[in-house]
Structures are given as C-alpha cells and as structure tokens.
Amino acid sequence: QVQLVESGGGLVQTGGSLRLSCVASGNSFVMNSVNWYRQGPTKQRVLLATITSTGNTNYRDSVRGRFTISRDNDKNTVYLQMNNLKPEDADVYYCNAKFTFPGEYYEGEYDYWGQGTQVTVSS
C-alpha cells in the first residue's frame, strides 16, 4: 500500500506564487508517472501537468509557462511550482500517481490520489 499526502496550499494575491508538495509513503513501492489536477467546475477533474518516471513533462495550455512540475525521487516527493497566479486558478488541487510494487506477482500499475489542497487567489 501507499499514501499520498499533499501540502502547500493557501491564500495568495494575484501575481503571487505557491509551491505544492505531494509526498508518497509506504512499503516497497516505485512511483512512476505523476499528475497534478485541479477540481474544475464539474465532477471530472482537470489535468494540469504530468511528469514521467524519467522527468519528461507536459502541461495544459492555460498553465504552461506559469506552472512547473518536478520530482525528487530520493524524497519520494513531487512538486508543483505555481507562479503568476490568477483568480481563475483558485481551486482544490490534487496529485495523482501510478505505482508498481517490486516483488508483487501482479506486474501492473496501481492508481492513487492525494486528499487535495486548497488554493485561494485574491483579486
């Protein structure tokens, strides 16, 4: 099993910055690709950024150039650096990651979500 714990949300003014963190913990796991989402206006969450196990990244057009996803594999941590924040960025942000477990008979990936962290941007 594995758990994802998010932190770093809060209140900032328009144009400010925040860095979100997502820490994985558990036994004998390998964290593969990781995504950052925000809730959006519906039940279907909005994909913002992706980072692969080798560090390749991809971004939604609306955040490209402002947000940066990164990872520290030694700390089992993924970050989302958010700069030049806008009021429309205010939302609940989630990390989502794919894991494998060495030694397990099943070789497929498991999908885990963090609990979410609130970002508020004042206008």
Side-chain angles (χ1 to χ4, degrees):
Q1 277 289 99
V2 67
Q3 287 188 321
L4 295 176
V5 179
E6 303 175 12
S7 62
L11 173 64
V12 296
Q13 294 183 338
T14 297
S17 298
L18 285 173
R19 189 179 75 163
L20 307 183
S21 300
C22 184
V23 181
S25 61
N27 296 319
S28 300
F29 65 86
V30 175
M31 187 166 63
N32 299 318
S33 62
V34 181
N35 308 302
W36 280 98
Y37 288 78
R38 61 191 180 200
Q39 182 63 59
T42 72
K43 295 179 69 174
Q44 188 173 69
R45 296 169 181 172
V46 179
L47 177 62
L48 304 175
T50 298
I51 187 166
T52 70
S53 60
T54 56
N56 296 118
T57 60
N58 196 24
Y59 297 92
R60 186 179 183 87
D61 287 346
S62 62
V63 305
R64 185 178 292 111
R66 299 190 297 125
F67 292 9
T68 302
I69 188 171
S70 62
R71 63 193 297 163
D72 185 336
N73 290 327
D74 292 334
K75 297 181 178 180
N76 294 314
T77 300
V78 178
Y79 304 97
L80 185 68
Q81 178 68 47
M82 304 186 295
N83 298 326
N84 301 315
L85 284 162
K86 307 175 184 298
E88 51 264 42
D89 294 320
D91 213 331
V92 179
Y93 285 70
Y94 300 88
C95 63
N96 162 254
K98 307 294 191 276
F99 294 87
T100 53
F101 299 90
E104 188 181 76
Y105 196 79
Y106 175 65
E107 297 180 350
E109 288 187 316
Y110 293 81
D111 183 75
Y112 285 84
W113 289 84
Q115 79 287 349
T117 186
Q118 177 72 55
V119 171
T120 304
V121 184
S122 62
S123 59

